[in-house]
Each structure stands twice: as structure tokens, then as C-alpha cells.
Amino acid sequence: MTWVGPEGAEEVEVPAVVGLVVPDAKRVAYEAGVVIASADPDGPPIGALTWPGVWVVIAQRPAPGTVIRRWGSVVVDVRQGPPGEAGVREPRRPPPHAGTLSVEQDPADDAGPAR
């Protein structure tokens, strides 16, 4: 159930939040002047439904671009993302040279395995 906002409030445009992780979706919504909500108005808030873990918005109502009153609600459907879907994925140091996997390589020495 979508709440269109307080009577007499200025109108704002609903942002696109599909594909965002829930904390980012909440931030984008807040900056646009709307609130992210779960589909069940009597259920727990979205923050309680999406903790712990990484949750991604997969659908929203009303659609992006719809005009509602400031602080109206945008109902979202979410799914839990797999572990490791978010976060830094780059290696912290270069991988070892070919053939050195059985010996630890000194990160300061680019010439070969540690002695």
C-alpha cells in the first residue's frame, strides 16, 4: 500500500531504486523526498526485514518518474543477494608468478619467490 504523502505537501518525483542495495535505495529516496517502505503496512519496517545481509531492490511501486507528495512512500520488493556480491573484489597484492604457487612470494620482490 502506497501512501502519497501528507496533504498539502509539495510534489516530488519518485526516483528509480530498482537494482540498488537497500541502504543506497533509502539514501536515494530520502534525497528525493520520499520514503522506502515494505509492502505490508502492519509488518516490520524495511530495515528490520533486510537485516542482516545484502538485500537488493527488485521492484518498486509507484514507478520512477511518478509524482507524489513529499515524504510519501515507495513500496519496494527485495531479495537477498548472495554473499560476496558486494564489496571490494580487487586483490590486495599482485598474484604470484606462474610456478610459484607452492612458495610464498615476497610482495616487495617482483623477481620471483622468497628465499
Side-chain angles (χ1 to χ4, degrees), residues 12-98:
V12 295
E13 192 173 304
V14 174
V17 295
V18 172
L20 299 178
V21 291
V22 170
D24 291 343
K26 289 170 73 172
R27 180 186 46 77
V28 167
Y30 179 81
E31 290 171 357
V34 297
V35 178
I36 297 293
S38 66
D40 182 1
D42 296 325
I46 196 75
L49 291 173
T50 59
W51 184 88
V54 176
W55 293 77
V56 179
V57 176
I58 59 170
Q60 73 177 76
R61 295 171 302 284
T66 303
V67 175
I68 63 174
R69 294 189 293 257
R70 183 172 292 280
W71 306 124
S73 62
V74 176
V75 174
V76 295
D77 297 326
V78 295
R79 72 163 171 81
Q80 189 165 20
E85 186 172 290
V88 176
R89 294 183 180 197
E90 63 186 72
R92 294 295 179 196
R93 60 185 207 178
H97 295 290

